[in-house]
């Protein structure tokens, strides 16, 4: 239970957030003001601290987040019926942003156990990838996955197979459909790797996708560049590449982007089906090269690495009214700590920066960096409008139900994942991070598309804030789920790694929670702790086709 019933996030705010369900008639004390609630206010939702005449602007996090559609009285709940999106306009960059001090002394000199690559990057995992250049090869990937998992046990689903076996026996013994549906739940555990032959290899990962041909030339180029990033990634030991031969995303296109990224001397095996001949010959060749690759990958062992070698991607999904108060700011604390320690943090999801562009612009290190951000945001918005929609439609029904009434409210909270550091670089999708400090990466708001892009940009850990709970992961990068509230952490313990509900309850400070979260990140980076997404085998991979995706 929260120690307080409501929270005001910034001295300039004229909205408050309910930390518990508040009832109509309840009196709220705010400074020397007593406000009687005129409506019920649900947990996580906002209520007015003053009267808002029609068309007046509301403020939260110290920035505009909404416009009154009608006269709203102090004590009324903010809803989609009385409020619409409103935010600051973009501005020109000006010098003067002062980055708040960050005390990282507790982590100075600390290390994690990682896989050192010849190009200076350090991986938090050691994976071998099997990549199709076109969706026509997905069936061959499924065959390879089944063969390798069955023989080497990189993913063990035997607990689920045991459950199915029990149902089979029930059916053989005459059980009805109702008997099957009402049978006692079997004790199932998470899928785990039982790979014992290659102990230094964390995963054999298969990047299924539906691209590579039939789309635009831009789609093919973007896919090739994204895949080059996955091969360059510090968590990748090497790759087996399957090509049909006639598709748009040609081997040569991938090789050119690999050369641009300076992938270096990683073992890469290419197989083209139309040159090899039969499917059997292709799969046989791929089995041999992949097995040889696993032998080579297994030669690398974890060694100490400074925390400056961490590249932390920050993401949010299934957000609620607490996300911008607890989980997002806690992730922002980690972002600031990593930047202070000489590492890199990457803030993505440009539709969820819509409404806080002014803050992002003023935090850029120089005018050129700011102008890159402005140009990308304007082009994104123009593309959305050309498709008959708007960036302001980003909040999902789940977001709205749990208190994020406007896109500006969602964005103001989502931006907290990026902490307070100066923005050193802005990259378009599918870019690769090559600068330390805070980076911006242009991705959609779609969770999996954005995580796919963050991993492709070289992030060796991803911190994922969620208020409602969302099951997603990535084949290359551990995705650490951070809950905004303890309710979802307790209800969905199989997907939540870290609970920041202690901030809402007042049991721990934001600073202490952020430090604890970084300690958890170090454990995951070192491989001593697996993220829940890894335990569940959540290897989601969806490349972004550069259309409107909010």
């Amino acid at each position: 239970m929260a120690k307080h019933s409501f929270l005001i996030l910034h001295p300039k705010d004229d909205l408050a957030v309910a930390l518990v369900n508040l009832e109509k008639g309840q009196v709220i004390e705010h400074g020397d003001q007593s406000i009687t609630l005129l409506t019920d206010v649900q947990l996580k939702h906002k209520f007015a601290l003053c009267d808002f005449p029609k068309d007046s602007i509301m403020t939260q996090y110290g920035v505009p987040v909404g416009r009154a559609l009608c006269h709203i009285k102090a004590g009324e709940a903010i809803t989609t019926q009385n409020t619409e999106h409103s935010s600051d306009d973009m501005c020109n960059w000006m010098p003067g942003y002062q980055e708040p001090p960050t005390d990282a002394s507790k982590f100075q000199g600390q290390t994690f156990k990682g896989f050192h690559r010849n190009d200076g990057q350090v991986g938090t995992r050691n994976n071998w990838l099997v990549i199709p250049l076109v969706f026509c090869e997905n069936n061959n990937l499924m065959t390879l996955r089944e063969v390798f998992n069955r023989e080497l046990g990189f993913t063990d689903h035997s607990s689920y197979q045991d459950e199915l076996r029990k149902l089979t026996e029930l059916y053989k013994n005459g059980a009805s459909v109702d008997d099957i549906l009402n049978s006692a739940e079997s004790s199932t555990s998470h899928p785990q790797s039982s790979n014992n032959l290659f102990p230094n290899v964390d995963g054999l990962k298969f990047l299924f996708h539906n691209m590579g041909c039939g789309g635009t030339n831009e789609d093919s180029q973007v896919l090739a560049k994204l895949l080059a990033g996955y091969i360059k990634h510090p968590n990748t030991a090497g790759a087996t590449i399957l090509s049909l031969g006639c598709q748009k995303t040609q081997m040569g296109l991938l090789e050119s982007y690999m050369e641009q990224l300076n992938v270096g001397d990683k073992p890469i095996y290419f197989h083209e089906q139309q040159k090899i001949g039969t499917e059997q010959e292709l799969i046989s060749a791929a089995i041999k090269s992949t097995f040889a690759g696993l032998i080579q990958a297994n030669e690398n062992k974890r060694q100490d690495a400074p925390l400056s070698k961490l590249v932390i991607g920050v993401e949010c999904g299934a957000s609620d009214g607490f996300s911008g108060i607890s989980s997002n700011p806690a992730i922002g604390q980690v972002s600031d700590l990593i930047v202070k320690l000489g590492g890199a943090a990457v803030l993505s999801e440009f539709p969820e920066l819509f409404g806080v562009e002014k803050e992002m612009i003023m935090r850029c290190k120089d005018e050129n960096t700011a102008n890159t951000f402005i140009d990308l945001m304007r082009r994104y918005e123009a593309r959305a409008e050309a498709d008959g929609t708007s960036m302001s439609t980003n909040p999902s029904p789940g977001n709205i139900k749990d208190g994020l009434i406007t896109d500006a409210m969602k964005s103001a909270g989502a931006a907290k994942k990026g902490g307070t550091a100066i923005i050193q670089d802005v990259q378009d999708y599918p870019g690769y991070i090559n600068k330390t400090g805070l980076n911006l990466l242009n991705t959609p708001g779609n969770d999996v598309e954005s995580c796919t892009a963050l991993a492709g940009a070289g992030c060796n850990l991803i911190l994922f804030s969620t208020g409602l709970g969302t099951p997603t992961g990535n084949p290359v990068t551990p995705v650490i789920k951070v809950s905004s509230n303890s309710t979802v952490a307790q209800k969905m313990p199989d997907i939540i790694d870290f609970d920041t509900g202690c901030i809402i309850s007042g049991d721990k400070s934001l600073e202490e929670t952020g430090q604890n979260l970084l300690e958890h990140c170090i454990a995951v980076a070192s491989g001593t702790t697996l993220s829940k997404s890894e335990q569940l085998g959540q290897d989601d991979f969806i490349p972004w086709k550069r259309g409107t995706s909010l």
Side-chain angles (χ1 to χ4, degrees):
M1 176 66 69
K3 294 179 180 179
H4 303 283
S5 61
F6 69 97
L7 182 65
I8 300 170
L9 302 174
H10 191 278
K12 293 182 180 178
D13 287 1
D14 41 34
L15 297 178
V17 184
L19 300 181
V20 296
N21 287 325
L22 302 175
E23 296 182 357
K24 178 180 178 180
Q26 189 170 339
V27 177
I28 300 296
E29 301 295 338
H30 171 46
D32 57 1
Q33 182 183 14
S34 293
I35 301 172
T36 300
L37 295 182
L38 303 179
T39 60
D40 291 340
V41 183
Q42 295 179 27
L43 170 77
K44 306 178 186 178
H45 283 252
K46 288 83 178 169
F47 62 89
L49 293 172
C50 63
D51 286 355
F52 291 104
K54 185 177 182 296
D55 293 327
S56 58
I57 301 301
M58 306 168 186
T59 301
Q60 191 180 24
Y61 298 98
V63 298
V65 295
R67 183 179 70 85
L69 292 172
C70 58
H71 186 86
I72 302 172
K73 294 181 179 179
E76 282 192 61
I78 302 304
T79 69
T80 53
Q81 286 73 44
N82 61 23
T83 304
E84 69 175 4
H85 170 85
S86 182
S87 62
D88 271 337
D89 293 330
M90 288 198 199
C91 65
N92 293 322
W93 178 86
M94 293 184 294
Y97 176 73
Q98 296 296 316
E99 182 179 309
T102 297
D103 181 7
S105 57
K106 178 179 178 179
F107 297 95
Q108 291 290 347
Q110 285 201 37
T111 61
F112 71 97
K113 294 282 188 180
F115 295 94
H116 292 249
R117 306 299 179 191
N118 291 340
D119 60 2
Q121 297 184 108
V122 178
T124 61
R125 295 293 181 269
N126 192 30
N127 298 313
W128 187 269
L129 306 187
V130 183
I131 301 174
L133 289 185
V134 62
F135 54 81
C136 304
E137 292 300 319
N138 281 344
N139 188 65
N140 292 328
L141 250 71
M142 285 191 282
T143 300
L144 290 169
R145 182 175 65 179
E146 181 180 356
V147 167
F148 275 95
N149 280 337
R150 183 173 294 179
E151 186 64 28
L152 301 182
F154 276 98
T155 303
D156 179 10
H157 288 90
S158 59
S159 61
Y160 297 116
Q161 290 168 349
D162 289 343
E163 183 174 6
L164 180 58
R165 191 173 297 115
K166 290 176 183 177
L167 295 177
T168 302
E169 289 302 316
L170 284 174
Y171 176 67
K172 287 180 177 178
N173 292 327
S176 67
V177 170
D178 286 340
D179 292 334
I180 296 293
L181 293 174
N182 295 319
S183 60
E185 291 185 9
S186 299
S187 176
T188 58
S189 58
H190 294 156
Q192 297 286 342
S193 172
S194 56
N195 158 44
N196 296 314
L197 187 60
F198 302 111
N200 297 320
V201 179
D202 293 295
L204 176 58
K205 302 295 184 176
F206 299 83
L207 305 190
F208 295 93
H209 62 81
N210 64 354
M211 295 179 65
C213 201
T216 65
N217 288 337
E218 181 188 29
D219 289 340
S220 298
Q221 293 162 3
V222 164
L223 176 63
K225 191 171 183 181
L226 177 72
L227 294 177
Y230 270 75
I231 296 168
K232 167 78 172 178
H233 198 287
N235 289 4
T236 298
T240 303
I241 314 293
L242 298 190
S243 169
L244 178 60
C246 58
Q247 73 277 350
K248 280 192 173 182
T249 305
Q250 289 284 301
M251 283 187 183
L253 185 61
L254 174 62
E255 288 175 315
S256 68
Y257 283 122
M258 288 169 56
E259 185 176 347
Q260 288 180 27
L261 288 179
N262 192 23
V263 168
D265 58 354
K266 289 184 179 181
I268 310 294
Y269 297 99
F270 287 93
H271 303 285
E272 189 165 296
Q273 186 168 0
Q274 289 171 345
K275 285 185 178 179
I276 291 175
T278 67
E279 183 177 284
Q280 182 178 355
E281 290 173 308
L282 172 74
I283 291 175
S284 177
I287 288 174
K288 291 175 184 176
S289 62
T290 301
F291 196 88
L294 292 171
I295 295 173
Q296 295 170 83
N298 194 54
E299 294 172 358
N300 200 340
K301 296 181 180 180
R302 289 185 182 272
Q303 301 176 55
D304 287 338
L307 299 186
S308 60
K309 293 297 183 178
L310 290 177
V311 182
I312 308 284
V314 298
E315 176 73 21
C316 60
S319 300
D320 69 351
F322 285 166
S323 294
I325 303 172
S326 55
S327 51
N328 289 346
I331 290 174
Q333 290 281 311
V334 174
S335 174
D336 284 342
L337 287 167
I338 288 297
V339 167
K340 185 71 173 182
L341 293 164
V346 188
L347 176 63
S348 59
E349 298 181 290
F350 272 32
E352 298 187 5
L353 299 179
F354 179 62
V356 291
E357 296 100 329
K358 184 175 180 180
E359 176 191 344
M360 296 294 106
I361 290 167
M362 300 313 297
R363 284 173 57 186
C364 287
K365 69 174 183 179
D366 55 34
E367 188 172 10
N368 286 338
T369 306
N371 286 342
T372 300
F373 172 69
I374 292 168
D375 178 61
L376 288 172
M377 286 296 290
R378 284 178 172 161
R379 282 196 279 151
Y380 207 132
E381 187 173 7
R383 199 159 190 170
E385 290 176 353
D387 287 342
T389 186
S390 165
M391 301 274 259
S392 65
T393 63
N394 179 267
S396 69
N399 296 151
I400 294 168
K401 178 178 176 291
D402 269 53
L404 298 176
I405 300 302
T406 71
D407 189 58
M409 287 181 187
K410 185 176 182 181
S411 294
K416 298 300 178 185
K417 303 191 303 293
T420 59
I422 292 172
I423 296 166
Q424 300 295 329
D425 195 21
V426 179
Q427 291 211 33
D428 195 10
Y429 171 83
Y432 200 88
I433 302 305
N434 51 35
K435 292 184 180 178
T436 58
L438 179 62
N439 294 254
L440 300 186
L441 177 67
N442 180 23
T443 76
N446 178 293
D447 304 344
V448 179
E449 289 176 340
S450 185
C451 282
T452 299
L454 284 168
C459 296
N460 51 16
L461 285 179
I462 294 175
L463 286 174
F464 190 118
S465 161
T466 184
L468 305 175
T470 180
T472 190
N474 182 267
V476 168
T477 302
V479 177
I480 300 169
K481 300 287 178 42
V482 182
S483 69
S484 71
N485 61 89
S486 297
T487 300
V488 74
Q490 293 163 7
K491 185 178 181 180
M492 308 177 80
D494 59 328
I495 69 168
I496 299 298
D497 297 90
F498 191 91
D499 177 21
T500 64
C502 54
I503 297 173
I504 301 299
S505 66
D507 292 326
K508 289 185 180 180
S509 69
L510 173 60
E511 291 74 17
E512 181 184 3
T513 305
Q515 290 180 354
N516 291 343
L517 179 54
L518 178 52
E519 289 171 352
H520 184 82
C521 288
I522 295 170
V524 173
S526 299
T528 56
T529 298
L530 290 180
S531 68
K532 298 294 180 66
S533 62
E534 293 176 287
Q535 293 176 28
L536 289 171
Q538 292 165 338
D539 289 342
D540 302 314
F541 179 78
I542 304 179
W544 178 28
K545 287 187 175 184
R546 290 298 301 263
T548 300
S549 180
L550 301 176

